[in-house]
Amino acid sequence: MSITNSFFATVFLFVTFITSSIAQNSTSQCVPSSCGDIRDIKFPFRLRSDPQHCGKTGYELDCQNNETIFHYKSRKFYVQEINYTNFSIRLLDPSLKNQSDNCSVFPEHRASYDAMTSLIFGWLNVDNDINYVNCRGPINSSRYIPTSFCSINTTATFSYFVVGEILQASDLAGGCRVETVAWSSAPGISPNISSSLSSIHQALGYGFELSWRRDFLCRECGRDDECVFEDNSDVATCIHYCKEDTPVSERTFGCKVEYYSVFVFVYGGIAIGALMLVGIAILIAVVVWQCKRRNLNTSNDDVLGNKASSSEQNC
């Protein structure tokens, strides 16, 4: 069985190599695109107007009014930067593009891990939650940065920015509640560092980063493979596993071949064994029949007086 699995694994790797070689030849013919300030849009990203083979599924960008737009899980973001060295993309909520000096603008999309995480993108600098907080009374704490919110009536409340993740009501001062949350990957913003209102506005306008490192570097791995990185490197290794709890219809081609090969060899071995037994039985029957026929001829020769030696004629 180990030889069989090795054979099918070799075939699977060969097919994968040929496919990846064809894909690389196709992508090498793609010319980088540009839109607004994003001047180098290339694989795995592409504009929707570019050929499909120039990018991966899930990495499509739009160019609208000279702005690079990324639609992600029905949400719209402005692309601020694509870094091909550390495999990151920096996105900005549309409402936070132009902050007001008189009040703080709410984000169009409330920051949500469930809404933004996927198999493609992971997080960078996930600590930088910027919370929009309203309180019934004034809060005397350096953690609470006074402001006023543009989108709601704050005459009867006191408005603040609070940097850092707030998991429950006890993480806030009494009488306060979180109106919404935005993210920022701007350097210098941290729950442990005192910030000014202007630095918070700059951080909101900076946007937040998502990493596409794992999805990109592990693109040669199959659905049932485990992608492992060497320490402090971008070298990815695919370790092939065929998971027993995965339905056969959802398994990769290689795992389907490996799954059905077990049945082929088990039932094929039974069939071959049965054919061998039938063949042996037929052979024995033929030998016995020939011996009886030869003995019958010997008896006839004896009647005619042409007796031959039993060692030569009898079985």
Side-chain angles (χ1 to χ4, degrees), residues 14-36:
F14 176 75
V15 172
T16 302
F17 173 76
I18 296 298
T19 304
S20 62
S21 298
I22 295 174
Q24 289 176 359
N25 291 334
S26 300
T27 56
S28 64
Q29 300 174 1
C30 298
V31 178
S33 303
S34 64
C35 177

Side-chain angles (χ1 to χ4, degrees), residues 237-307:
T237 302
C238 301
I239 301 177
H240 179 64
Y241 294 107
C242 290
K243 299 177 182 178
E244 295 295 333
D245 56 347
T246 302
V248 177
S249 60
E250 298 178 6
R251 297 188 185 188
T252 60
F253 175 76
C255 286
K256 286 181 179 179
V257 171
E258 184 173 326
Y259 176 82
Y260 287 115
S261 67
V262 174
F263 294 95
V264 170
F265 276 88
V266 170
Y267 291 109
I270 294 175
I272 292 173
L275 289 174
M276 289 180 64
L277 291 176
V278 172
I280 293 173
I282 293 174
L283 179 61
I284 292 174
V286 170
V287 170
V288 170
W289 176 76
Q290 287 187 345
C291 285
K292 289 183 176 180
R293 183 179 179 184
R294 184 174 297 176
N295 290 337
L296 180 60
N297 292 337
T298 302
S299 299
N300 293 335
D301 289 343
D302 290 342
V303 172
L304 297 174
N306 298 323
K307 184 177 180 179

